[in-house]
Amino acid sequence: MMKFVYDNWVDVPDIVRRASILPDRRSLEACLFKHVLYKRFPVMSPWVFNRSDADATNVSCFAKPFYGSSSVGTQKLLGVPTCESPLWDTHVITEYLPGQEFTVDCVSDRHGRLKDCNVRIRERIRDGITAYGKSVGGVKDTIEPLVRKLAEELKLPHVWFAQFKFDAAGIPKLLEVNCRISGSFCITKAARKDYVAWFWDDWNPRWTMLE
Protein backbone atom coordinates (compact mmCIF):
# COMPACT_ATOMS: atom_id res chain seq x y z
CA MET A 1 0.00 0.00 0.00
CA MET A 2 2.79 2.46 0.90
CA LYS A 3 4.43 2.07 -2.52
CA PHE A 4 1.05 2.60 -4.20
CA VAL A 5 0.45 5.79 -2.22
CA TYR A 6 3.96 7.01 -3.06
CA ASP A 7 3.52 6.34 -6.79
CA ASN A 8 0.10 7.99 -6.83
CA TRP A 9 0.70 10.72 -4.28
CA VAL A 10 -1.01 13.50 -6.23
CA ASP A 11 -4.10 11.39 -6.89
CA VAL A 12 -4.52 10.07 -3.34
CA PRO A 13 -6.68 12.47 -1.29
CA ASP A 14 -4.94 14.04 1.68
CA ILE A 15 -7.66 12.71 3.98
CA VAL A 16 -6.71 9.14 2.97
CA ARG A 17 -3.00 9.74 3.53
CA ARG A 18 -3.66 11.18 6.98
CA ALA A 19 -5.98 8.33 7.95
CA SER A 20 -3.30 5.87 6.75
CA ILE A 21 -0.85 7.41 9.28
CA LEU A 22 1.81 7.95 6.63
CA PRO A 23 4.50 10.65 6.70
CA ASP A 24 5.03 13.23 3.95
CA ARG A 25 6.16 11.98 0.55
CA ARG A 26 9.86 12.80 1.04
CA SER A 27 10.03 10.85 4.29
CA LEU A 28 8.02 8.00 2.79
CA GLU A 29 10.54 7.86 -0.05
CA ALA A 30 13.39 7.39 2.45
CA CYS A 31 11.48 4.54 4.07
CA LEU A 32 10.83 2.80 0.75
CA PHE A 33 14.17 3.20 -1.04
CA LYS A 34 17.50 2.26 0.55
CA HIS A 35 19.67 4.38 -1.73
CA VAL A 36 17.55 7.44 -0.89
CA LEU A 37 17.77 6.72 2.84
CA TYR A 38 21.56 6.34 2.75
CA LYS A 39 22.01 9.59 0.81
CA ARG A 40 19.86 11.41 3.33
CA PHE A 41 21.72 10.01 6.36
CA PRO A 42 25.29 9.39 5.13
CA VAL A 43 26.99 9.66 8.53
CA MET A 44 25.06 6.83 10.16
CA SER A 45 24.72 4.69 7.01
CA PRO A 46 27.12 1.99 5.77
CA TRP A 47 29.71 3.01 3.19
CA VAL A 48 28.11 3.05 -0.25
CA PHE A 49 30.17 2.04 -3.28
CA ASN A 50 29.70 3.39 -6.79
CA ARG A 51 30.91 2.45 -10.24
CA SER A 52 34.22 4.24 -9.71
CA ASP A 53 35.00 1.57 -7.08
CA ALA A 54 34.29 -1.23 -9.57
CA ASP A 55 36.61 -4.22 -9.78
CA ALA A 56 37.98 -3.77 -6.25
CA THR A 57 38.62 -7.33 -5.12
CA ASN A 58 40.00 -6.79 -1.63
CA VAL A 59 36.71 -5.87 0.04
CA SER A 60 33.54 -7.67 1.05
CA CYS A 61 30.36 -5.85 0.21
CA PHE A 62 26.63 -6.33 0.31
CA ALA A 63 24.02 -5.72 -2.39
CA LYS A 64 20.41 -4.93 -1.57
CA PRO A 65 17.59 -3.81 -3.87
CA PHE A 66 16.77 -0.10 -4.02
CA TYR A 67 13.21 -0.97 -3.03
CA GLY A 68 12.18 -3.71 -0.62
CA SER A 69 12.57 -5.01 2.90
CA SER A 70 13.80 -8.12 4.73
CA SER A 71 16.40 -10.19 2.87
CA VAL A 72 14.59 -10.52 -0.48
CA GLY A 73 17.04 -9.91 -3.31
CA THR A 74 20.07 -9.30 -1.09
CA GLN A 75 23.45 -10.94 -1.57
CA LYS A 76 26.93 -10.84 -0.08
CA LEU A 77 29.65 -10.15 -2.66
CA LEU A 78 33.37 -10.84 -2.65
CA GLY A 79 34.52 -7.66 -4.30
CA VAL A 80 32.74 -4.67 -5.85
CA PRO A 81 30.77 -5.53 -9.02
CA THR A 82 32.24 -4.68 -12.40
CA CYS A 83 31.14 -1.53 -14.22
CA GLU A 84 29.00 -3.63 -16.53
CA SER A 85 27.17 -5.44 -13.74
CA PRO A 86 23.36 -4.96 -13.85
CA LEU A 87 23.36 -4.74 -10.07
CA TRP A 88 24.23 -1.04 -10.27
CA ASP A 89 20.86 -0.35 -11.89
CA THR A 90 18.73 -2.13 -9.28
CA HIS A 91 20.79 -2.44 -6.08
CA VAL A 92 22.69 -0.29 -3.64
CA ILE A 93 26.18 -1.72 -2.95
CA THR A 94 27.44 -1.13 0.59
CA GLU A 95 30.22 -2.29 2.86
CA TYR A 96 29.57 -5.69 4.45
CA LEU A 97 28.65 -5.38 8.13
CA PRO A 98 29.79 -8.38 10.19
CA GLY A 99 28.45 -7.37 13.61
CA GLN A 100 25.28 -7.91 15.60
CA GLU A 101 21.98 -6.68 14.21
CA PHE A 102 19.32 -4.74 16.10
CA THR A 103 15.76 -3.59 15.54
CA VAL A 104 14.53 -0.46 17.30
CA ASP A 105 10.77 -0.25 17.74
CA CYS A 106 9.63 3.35 18.05
CA VAL A 107 6.50 5.28 18.90
CA SER A 108 5.99 8.96 18.13
CA ASP A 109 3.11 11.33 18.49
CA ARG A 110 1.07 12.36 15.46
CA HIS A 111 3.53 15.16 14.73
CA GLY A 112 6.47 12.76 14.54
CA ARG A 113 8.02 13.59 17.91
CA LEU A 114 9.62 10.49 19.42
CA LYS A 115 7.97 9.34 22.64
CA ASP A 116 9.86 6.11 23.33
CA CYS A 117 11.95 3.39 21.70
CA ASN A 118 12.97 -0.16 22.50
CA VAL A 119 16.18 -1.76 21.24
CA ARG A 120 16.20 -5.50 20.68
CA ILE A 121 18.86 -7.79 19.31
CA ARG A 122 18.11 -10.04 16.34
CA GLU A 123 19.84 -13.20 17.52
CA ARG A 124 18.35 -15.57 14.97
CA ILE A 125 17.11 -14.37 11.57
CA ARG A 126 15.18 -16.38 9.02
CA ASP A 127 14.27 -14.97 5.60
CA GLY A 128 15.02 -11.51 6.91
CA ILE A 129 12.61 -11.85 9.85
CA THR A 130 13.64 -12.17 13.49
CA ALA A 131 13.05 -15.77 14.56
CA TYR A 132 14.54 -15.20 18.01
CA GLY A 133 15.45 -11.98 19.74
CA LYS A 134 15.26 -10.10 23.00
CA SER A 135 15.16 -6.55 24.31
CA VAL A 136 18.56 -5.21 25.36
CA GLY A 137 19.64 -2.13 27.22
CA GLY A 138 23.41 -2.23 26.90
CA VAL A 139 23.58 -0.63 23.45
CA LYS A 140 20.66 1.78 23.80
CA ASP A 141 22.92 4.72 24.69
CA THR A 142 24.78 4.13 21.41
CA ILE A 143 21.78 3.63 19.14
CA GLU A 144 19.13 5.90 20.66
CA PRO A 145 20.82 9.18 19.55
CA LEU A 146 20.72 7.88 15.97
CA VAL A 147 17.04 7.02 16.32
CA ARG A 148 16.30 10.48 17.66
CA LYS A 149 18.08 11.98 14.65
CA LEU A 150 15.90 9.88 12.34
CA ALA A 151 12.77 10.96 14.20
CA GLU A 152 13.79 14.62 14.06
CA GLU A 153 14.43 14.53 10.31
CA LEU A 154 11.72 12.14 9.07
CA LYS A 155 8.94 13.01 11.51
CA LEU A 156 7.32 9.60 11.18
CA PRO A 157 3.94 9.54 12.95
CA HIS A 158 2.97 6.90 15.48
CA VAL A 159 4.56 3.43 15.24
CA TRP A 160 7.69 2.78 13.15
CA PHE A 161 11.01 0.99 13.41
CA ALA A 162 14.64 1.18 12.32
CA GLN A 163 17.29 -1.49 11.95
CA PHE A 164 21.01 -1.21 12.63
CA LYS A 165 24.00 -3.50 12.31
CA PHE A 166 27.47 -3.09 13.79
CA ASP A 167 30.47 -2.72 11.49
CA ALA A 168 33.88 -4.29 12.10
CA ALA A 169 34.78 -1.44 14.47
CA GLY A 170 31.63 -1.90 16.56
CA ILE A 171 29.88 1.19 15.19
CA PRO A 172 26.13 0.86 14.48
CA LYS A 173 25.18 1.50 10.86
CA LEU A 174 21.67 2.14 9.60
CA LEU A 175 20.09 -0.63 7.52
CA GLU A 176 16.54 0.55 6.97
CA VAL A 177 13.59 2.51 8.36
CA ASN A 178 9.95 1.44 8.03
CA CYS A 179 6.82 3.43 8.87
CA ARG A 180 4.87 0.46 10.19
CA ILE A 181 4.86 -2.03 13.07
CA SER A 182 7.75 -4.50 12.90
CA GLY A 183 7.05 -8.19 12.29
CA SER A 184 8.44 -9.21 15.68
CA PHE A 185 6.99 -6.33 17.69
CA CYS A 186 5.74 -8.89 20.22
CA ILE A 187 9.25 -8.83 21.77
CA THR A 188 8.86 -5.16 22.57
CA LYS A 189 5.34 -5.70 23.88
CA ALA A 190 6.72 -8.45 26.15
CA ALA A 191 8.97 -5.77 27.65
CA ARG A 192 5.76 -4.02 28.75
CA LYS A 193 5.95 -1.40 26.04
CA ASP A 194 2.64 -1.62 24.24
CA TYR A 195 3.21 0.97 21.52
CA VAL A 196 0.02 -0.05 19.75
CA ALA A 197 -2.01 0.98 22.79
CA TRP A 198 -0.01 4.22 23.07
CA PHE A 199 -0.62 4.89 19.39
CA TRP A 200 -4.34 4.23 19.78
CA ASP A 201 -4.54 6.68 22.67
CA ASP A 202 -2.89 9.34 20.51
CA TRP A 203 -4.63 8.62 17.21
CA ASN A 204 -8.23 9.52 16.63
CA PRO A 205 -9.69 9.13 13.14
CA ARG A 206 -11.91 12.14 13.57
CA TRP A 207 -9.26 14.75 14.37
CA THR A 208 -6.74 13.05 12.08
CA MET A 209 -9.05 13.80 9.17
CA LEU A 210 -10.25 17.19 10.33
CA GLU A 211 -7.10 18.72 11.85
Side-chain angles (χ1 to χ4, degrees):
M1 184 200 76
M2 287 184 284
K3 181 65 161 56
F4 173 84
V5 172
Y6 175 82
D7 290 339
N8 299 275
W9 191 266
V10 176
D11 298 321
V12 176
D14 180 66
I15 192 172
V16 175
R17 295 198 301 266
R18 295 167 75 88
S20 301
I21 61 172
L22 294 176
D24 61 45
R25 191 172 191 268
R26 185 165 180 258
S27 293
L28 181 59
E29 182 180 37
C31 292
L32 291 173
F33 302 102
K34 303 293 187 302
H35 60 305
V36 175
L37 179 69
Y38 296 163
K39 285 181 180 178
R40 190 161 176 182
F41 298 97
V43 175
M44 70 174 77
S45 297
W47 178 264
V48 178
F49 296 99
N50 54 54
R51 274 191 165 93
S52 65
D53 304 306
D55 301 321
T57 58
N58 60 343
V59 60
S60 295
C61 52
F62 199 75
K64 58 181 70 177
F66 292 152
Y67 168 72
S69 59
S70 71
S71 61
V72 177
T74 64
Q75 53 183 298
K76 182 181 178 182
L77 305 172
L78 296 177
V80 181
T82 63
C83 287
E84 297 77 19
S85 173
L87 283 175
W88 295 109
D89 299 321
T90 57
H91 289 61
V92 57
I93 314 298
T94 72
E95 64 177 308
Y96 175 71
L97 304 173
Q100 292 179 310
E101 190 169 334
F102 299 85
T103 293
V104 187
D105 290 312
C106 305
V107 61
S108 298
D109 65 18
R110 61 184 182 275
H111 302 294
R113 294 176 296 221
L114 186 69
K115 295 171 61 178
D116 193 64
C117 65
N118 183 63
V119 181
R120 49 188 177 80
I121 188 171
R122 308 182 75 196
E123 293 192 330
R124 189 181 307 146
I125 302 172
R126 184 174 182 179
D127 298 328
I129 306 298
T130 302
Y132 176 76
K134 61 183 178 181
S135 298
V136 293
V139 298
K140 188 173 183 179
D141 290 343
T142 302
I143 294 180
E144 185 171 349
L146 304 179
V147 173
R148 292 195 172 278
K149 178 65 175 178
L150 292 171
E152 179 183 340
E153 293 289 331
L154 297 176
K155 294 180 171 56
L156 302 177
H158 307 301
V159 286
W160 55 282
F161 70 96
Q163 291 182 334
F164 296 85
K165 193 172 185 180
F166 281 15
D167 65 10
I171 299 173
K173 297 295 182 70
L174 178 65
L175 295 181
E176 63 181 74
V177 178
N178 285 282
C179 48
R180 60 176 174 82
I181 298 174
S182 63
S184 46
F185 170 76
C186 56
I187 299 173
T188 288
K189 187 174 182 181
R192 297 185 178 181
K193 294 191 172 189
D194 192 350
Y195 292 169
V196 176
W198 296 4
F199 147 66
W200 189 251
D201 287 341
D202 186 65
W203 183 77
N204 182 299
R206 182 174 180 277
W207 59 247
T208 297
M209 295 177 183
L210 298 179
E211 188 180 67

